[in-house]
Coordinates of all heavy atoms in Angstrom, one line a residue:
Chain A
E111 N 12.6 12.5 -35.3 CA 12.7 13.6 -36.3 C 12.8 14.9 -35.6 O 13.6 15.7 -35.9 CB 11.4 13.5 -37.1 CG 11.2 12.3 -37.9 CD 11.8 12.3 -39.3 OE1 11.9 13.4 -39.9 OE2 12.3 11.2 -39.8
T112 N 12.0 15.0 -34.5 CA 12.0 16.3 -33.8 C 12.0 16.1 -32.3 O 11.7 15.0 -31.8 CB 10.7 17.1 -34.1 OG1 9.6 16.3 -33.7 CG2 10.5 17.4 -35.6
P113 N 12.5 17.1 -31.6 CA 12.6 16.9 -30.1 C 11.3 16.6 -29.5 O 11.2 15.9 -28.5 CB 13.1 18.3 -29.7 CG 13.8 18.9 -30.9 CD 13.0 18.3 -32.1
I114 N 10.2 17.2 -30.0 CA 8.9 17.0 -29.4 C 8.5 15.6 -29.5 O 7.8 15.0 -28.7 CB 7.8 18.0 -30.0 CG1 6.6 18.0 -29.1 CG2 7.5 17.6 -31.4 CD1 6.7 18.7 -27.8
E115 N 8.9 14.9 -30.6 CA 8.6 13.5 -30.8 C 9.3 12.6 -29.8 O 8.8 11.6 -29.3 CB 8.9 13.1 -32.2 CG 7.8 13.3 -33.2 CD 8.2 12.9 -34.6 OE1 9.0 12.0 -34.8 OE2 7.7 13.6 -35.5
R116 N 10.5 13.0 -29.5 CA 11.2 12.3 -28.4 C 10.5 12.4 -27.1 O 10.3 11.4 -26.4 CB 12.6 12.9 -28.3 CG 13.3 12.5 -27.0 CD 14.7 13.1 -26.8 NE 15.7 12.1 -26.5 CZ 16.5 11.5 -27.4 NH1 16.4 11.8 -28.7 NH2 17.3 10.5 -27.0
L117 N 10.1 13.6 -26.7 CA 9.4 13.8 -25.5 C 8.1 13.0 -25.5 O 7.8 12.3 -24.5 CB 9.1 15.3 -25.3 CG 8.4 15.7 -23.9 CD1 9.3 15.3 -22.8 CD2 8.1 17.2 -23.9
R118 N 7.4 13.0 -26.6 CA 6.2 12.3 -26.7 C 6.4 10.8 -26.5 O 5.6 10.1 -25.8 CB 5.5 12.5 -28.0 CG 4.0 12.2 -28.1 CD 3.4 12.4 -29.5 NE 3.7 13.7 -30.0 CZ 2.8 14.8 -29.8 NH1 1.8 14.6 -29.1 NH2 3.1 15.9 -30.4
F119 N 7.5 10.3 -27.1 CA 7.8 8.9 -26.9 C 8.1 8.5 -25.5 O 7.5 7.5 -25.0 CB 9.0 8.5 -27.8 CG 9.4 7.1 -27.6 CD1 8.8 6.0 -28.3 CD2 10.5 6.8 -26.8 CE1 9.2 4.7 -28.1 CE2 10.9 5.4 -26.6 CZ 10.2 4.4 -27.2
I120 N 8.9 9.3 -24.9 CA 9.3 9.0 -23.5 C 8.0 9.0 -22.6 O 7.8 8.1 -21.7 CB 10.3 10.0 -22.9 CG1 11.6 9.8 -23.7 CG2 10.6 9.8 -21.5 CD1 12.7 10.8 -23.3
A121 N 7.2 10.0 -22.8 CA 6.0 10.1 -22.0 C 5.1 8.9 -22.2 O 4.6 8.3 -21.2 CB 5.2 11.4 -22.3
K122 N 4.9 8.5 -23.5 CA 4.0 7.4 -23.8 C 4.6 6.1 -23.2 O 3.9 5.3 -22.6 CB 3.8 7.2 -25.3 CG 2.8 8.1 -25.8 CD 2.4 7.7 -27.3 CE 1.4 8.7 -27.8 NZ 1.0 8.3 -29.2
S123 N 5.9 5.9 -23.3 CA 6.6 4.7 -22.8 C 6.4 4.6 -21.3 O 6.2 3.5 -20.8 CB 8.1 4.8 -23.2 OG 8.2 4.8 -24.5
F124 N 6.5 5.8 -20.6 CA 6.4 5.8 -19.2 C 5.0 5.2 -18.8 O 4.9 4.3 -18.0 CB 6.5 7.2 -18.7 CG 6.5 7.3 -17.2 CD1 7.6 7.2 -16.4 CD2 5.3 7.6 -16.5 CE1 7.6 7.3 -15.0 CE2 5.2 7.7 -15.1 CZ 6.4 7.6 -14.4
V125 N 3.9 5.8 -19.4 CA 2.6 5.3 -19.0 C 2.4 3.9 -19.5 O 1.8 3.1 -18.7 CB 1.5 6.2 -19.6 CG1 0.1 5.8 -19.2 CG2 1.7 7.7 -19.1
S126 N 2.9 3.5 -20.6 CA 2.8 2.1 -21.1 C 3.4 1.2 -20.1 O 2.9 0.1 -19.8 CB 3.4 2.0 -22.5 OG 2.7 2.7 -23.4
F127 N 4.6 1.5 -19.7 CA 5.3 0.7 -18.7 C 4.4 0.4 -17.5 O 4.3 -0.7 -17.0 CB 6.6 1.3 -18.3 CG 7.4 0.5 -17.3 CD1 8.2 -0.5 -17.6 CD2 7.2 0.7 -15.9 CE1 8.9 -1.3 -16.7 CE2 7.8 0.0 -14.9 CZ 8.7 -1.0 -15.3
A128 N 3.8 1.5 -17.0 CA 3.0 1.4 -15.8 C 1.8 0.4 -16.1 O 1.5 -0.4 -15.2 CB 2.5 2.8 -15.4
I129 N 1.2 0.6 -17.2 CA 0.0 -0.2 -17.5 C 0.3 -1.6 -17.8 O -0.4 -2.5 -17.4 CB -0.8 0.5 -18.6 CG1 -1.4 1.8 -18.1 CG2 -1.9 -0.5 -19.1 CD1 -2.0 2.6 -19.2
N130 N 1.4 -1.8 -18.4 CA 1.8 -3.2 -18.8 C 2.6 -3.9 -17.7 O 2.8 -5.1 -17.8 CB 2.6 -3.2 -20.1 CG 1.8 -2.7 -21.3 OD1 0.6 -3.0 -21.4 ND2 2.5 -1.9 -22.1
N131 N 3.0 -3.2 -16.7 CA 3.8 -3.8 -15.6 C 3.2 -3.2 -14.3 O 4.0 -2.6 -13.5 CB 5.3 -3.5 -15.7 CG 5.8 -3.9 -17.1 OD1 6.2 -5.1 -17.3 ND2 5.9 -3.0 -18.0
K132 N 2.0 -3.4 -14.1 CA 1.3 -2.8 -12.9 C 2.0 -3.0 -11.6 O 2.3 -2.0 -10.9 CB -0.1 -3.4 -12.8 CG -1.1 -3.0 -14.0 CD -2.5 -3.3 -13.6 CE -3.5 -2.8 -14.6 NZ -3.7 -3.8 -15.7
E133 N 2.3 -4.2 -11.3 CA 2.9 -4.5 -10.0 C 4.3 -3.9 -9.9 O 4.6 -3.4 -8.8 CB 2.9 -6.0 -9.7 CG 2.8 -6.3 -8.2 CD 1.6 -5.7 -7.5 OE1 0.4 -6.0 -7.7 OE2 1.9 -4.8 -6.7
S134 N 5.0 -3.9 -11.0 CA 6.3 -3.3 -10.9 C 6.2 -1.8 -10.7 O 7.0 -1.2 -9.9 CB 7.0 -3.5 -12.3 OG 7.3 -4.9 -12.5
Y135 N 5.3 -1.2 -11.4 CA 5.1 0.2 -11.2 C 4.7 0.6 -9.8 O 5.1 1.6 -9.2 CB 4.0 0.8 -12.2 CG 4.0 2.3 -12.2 CD1 4.9 3.0 -13.0 CD2 3.0 3.0 -11.5 CE1 4.9 4.4 -13.0 CE2 3.0 4.4 -11.5 CZ 3.9 5.1 -12.3 OH 3.8 6.4 -12.3
R136 N 3.8 -0.3 -9.2 CA 3.4 0.0 -7.8 C 4.6 -0.1 -6.9 O 4.7 0.8 -6.0 CB 2.4 -1.1 -7.4 CG 1.0 -0.9 -7.9 CD 0.0 -1.7 -7.1 NE -1.3 -1.7 -7.8 CZ -1.8 -2.7 -8.6 NH1 -1.1 -3.8 -8.8 NH2 -2.9 -2.5 -9.2
L137 N 5.4 -1.1 -7.1 CA 6.6 -1.2 -6.3 C 7.5 0.0 -6.4 O 8.1 0.5 -5.5 CB 7.4 -2.5 -6.6 CG 6.7 -3.8 -6.3 CD1 7.4 -4.9 -7.0 CD2 6.6 -4.0 -4.9
L138 N 7.6 0.5 -7.6 CA 8.5 1.6 -7.9 C 8.0 3.0 -7.4 O 8.7 3.7 -6.7 CB 8.6 1.8 -9.5 CG 9.7 1.0 -10.1 CD1 9.7 1.3 -11.6 CD2 11.1 1.4 -9.5
L139 N 6.7 3.3 -7.6 CA 6.3 4.7 -7.3 C 5.0 4.8 -6.6 O 4.6 5.9 -6.3 CB 6.2 5.4 -8.7 CG 7.5 5.8 -9.3 CD1 7.2 6.4 -10.7 CD2 8.2 6.9 -8.5
V140 N 4.3 3.7 -6.3 CA 3.1 3.8 -5.6 C 3.1 3.5 -4.1 O 2.7 4.3 -3.3 CB 2.0 3.0 -6.3 CG1 0.6 3.1 -5.5 CG2 1.8 3.5 -7.7
I141 N 3.6 2.3 -3.8 CA 3.6 1.9 -2.4 C 4.4 2.8 -1.5 O 5.3 3.5 -2.0 CB 4.1 0.4 -2.2 CG1 5.6 0.3 -2.5 CG2 3.3 -0.5 -3.1 CD1 6.2 -1.0 -2.0
K142 N 4.0 2.8 -0.3 CA 4.7 3.5 0.7 C 6.1 2.9 0.9 O 6.3 1.7 1.1 CB 4.0 3.5 2.1 CG 4.4 4.4 3.1 CD 3.4 4.4 4.2 CE 3.9 5.2 5.4 NZ 2.9 5.2 6.5
T143 N 7.1 3.8 0.8 CA 8.5 3.2 0.9 C 8.6 2.6 2.3 O 8.3 3.2 3.3 CB 9.5 4.4 0.8 OG1 9.0 5.3 -0.1 CG2 10.8 3.9 0.5
P144 N 9.0 1.3 2.3 CA 9.2 0.6 3.6 C 10.2 1.2 4.5 O 10.2 1.0 5.7 CB 9.5 -0.8 3.2 CG 10.0 -0.7 1.8 CD 9.4 0.5 1.2
S145 N 11.1 2.0 3.9 CA 12.2 2.6 4.7 C 12.6 3.9 4.1 O 12.6 4.1 2.9 CB 13.4 1.7 4.8 OG 14.5 2.5 5.2
T146 N 12.9 4.9 5.0 CA 13.3 6.2 4.5 C 14.7 6.1 3.8 O 15.0 7.0 3.1 CB 13.4 7.2 5.6 OG1 14.0 6.6 6.7 CG2 12.0 7.6 6.1
D147 N 15.4 5.0 4.1 CA 16.7 4.9 3.5 C 16.6 4.9 2.0 O 17.5 5.3 1.3 CB 17.3 3.5 4.0 CG 17.6 3.5 5.5 OD1 17.3 4.5 6.1 OD2 18.0 2.5 6.0
I148 N 15.5 4.3 1.5 CA 15.4 4.2 0.1 C 15.3 5.6 -0.6 O 15.7 5.8 -1.7 CB 14.1 3.3 -0.3 CG1 14.4 1.9 0.1 CG2 13.8 3.4 -1.7 CD1 13.3 1.0 -0.3
N149 N 14.8 6.5 0.2 CA 14.7 7.9 -0.4 C 16.0 8.6 -0.4 O 16.1 9.7 -0.9 CB 13.7 8.7 0.4 CG 12.3 8.1 0.3 OD1 11.9 7.6 -0.8 ND2 11.6 8.0 1.4
N150 N 17.0 8.0 0.2 CA 18.4 8.5 0.1 C 18.7 8.7 -1.4 O 18.6 7.8 -2.2 CB 19.4 7.6 0.8 CG 20.7 8.2 0.9 OD1 21.1 9.0 0.0 ND2 21.4 8.0 2.0
E151 N 19.2 9.9 -1.7 CA 19.5 10.2 -3.1 C 20.5 9.2 -3.7 O 20.4 8.8 -4.9 CB 20.0 11.6 -3.3 CG 19.1 12.7 -2.7 CD 18.5 13.5 -3.8 OE1 19.0 13.4 -5.0 OE2 17.6 14.3 -3.5
N152 N 21.4 8.8 -2.9 CA 22.5 7.9 -3.3 C 21.9 6.6 -3.9 O 22.6 5.9 -4.7 CB 23.5 7.6 -2.2 CG 24.0 8.9 -1.7 OD1 24.1 9.9 -2.4 ND2 24.5 8.9 -0.4
T153 N 20.8 6.2 -3.3 CA 20.2 4.9 -3.7 C 19.2 5.0 -4.8 O 18.4 4.1 -5.0 CB 19.6 4.3 -2.4 OG1 18.5 5.0 -2.1 CG2 20.6 4.2 -1.3
W154 N 19.2 6.1 -5.5 CA 18.2 6.3 -6.5 C 18.8 6.4 -7.9 O 18.4 7.2 -8.8 CB 17.4 7.6 -6.3 CG 16.1 7.4 -5.6 CD1 15.9 6.9 -4.4 CD2 14.8 7.6 -6.2 NE1 14.5 6.8 -4.1 CE2 13.9 7.2 -5.2 CE3 14.4 8.1 -7.4 CZ2 12.5 7.4 -5.4 CZ3 13.0 8.2 -7.6 CH2 12.1 7.8 -6.6
N155 N 19.9 5.6 -8.1 CA 20.7 5.7 -9.3 C 19.8 5.8 -10.6 O 19.8 6.7 -11.3 CB 21.7 4.6 -9.4 CG 22.6 4.6 -8.2 OD1 23.0 5.6 -7.7 ND2 22.8 3.4 -7.6
F156 N 19.1 4.7 -10.8 CA 18.3 4.6 -12.0 C 17.0 5.5 -12.0 O 16.5 5.9 -13.0 CB 18.0 3.1 -12.4 CG 19.1 2.4 -13.1 CD1 19.9 1.6 -12.4 CD2 19.3 2.6 -14.4 CE1 20.9 0.9 -13.0 CE2 20.3 2.0 -15.1 CZ 21.1 1.1 -14.4
G157 N 16.6 5.7 -10.8 CA 15.4 6.6 -10.7 C 15.8 8.0 -11.2 O 15.1 8.6 -12.0
I158 N 17.0 8.5 -10.7 CA 17.5 9.8 -11.2 C 17.7 9.8 -12.7 O 17.4 10.7 -13.4 CB 18.8 10.1 -10.5 CG1 18.6 10.2 -8.9 CG2 19.4 11.4 -11.0 CD1 18.1 11.5 -8.4
K159 N 18.2 8.7 -13.2 CA 18.5 8.6 -14.6 C 17.2 8.7 -15.4 O 17.1 9.4 -16.5 CB 19.1 7.2 -15.0 CG 20.6 7.2 -14.8 CD 21.2 5.9 -15.4 CE 22.7 5.9 -15.3 NZ 23.2 4.6 -15.8
C160 N 16.1 8.1 -14.9 CA 14.8 8.2 -15.6 C 14.3 9.7 -15.6 O 13.9 10.2 -16.6 CB 13.8 7.4 -14.9 SG 14.0 5.6 -15.1

Side-chain angles (χ1 to χ4, degrees):
Chain A
E111 300 272 327
T112 60
I114 192 74
E115 273 177 32
R116 166 181 229 96
L117 185 60
R118 201 184 302 273
F119 174 82
I120 295 177
K122 278 192 179 180
S123 300
F124 183 89
V125 179
S126 293
F127 178 87
I129 290 169
N130 297 323
N131 306 275
K132 292 194 176 83
E133 209 53 69
S134 295
Y135 190 82
R136 281 197 192 100
L137 293 167
L138 271 180
L139 288 171
V140 177
I141 69 164
K142 194 169 171 179
T143 323
S145 159
T146 47
D147 297 356
I148 289 183
N149 294 320
N150 189 324
E151 302 248 351
N152 304 334
T153 65
W154 260 67
N155 303 319
F156 277 101
I158 299 278
K159 276 192 178 178
C160 290

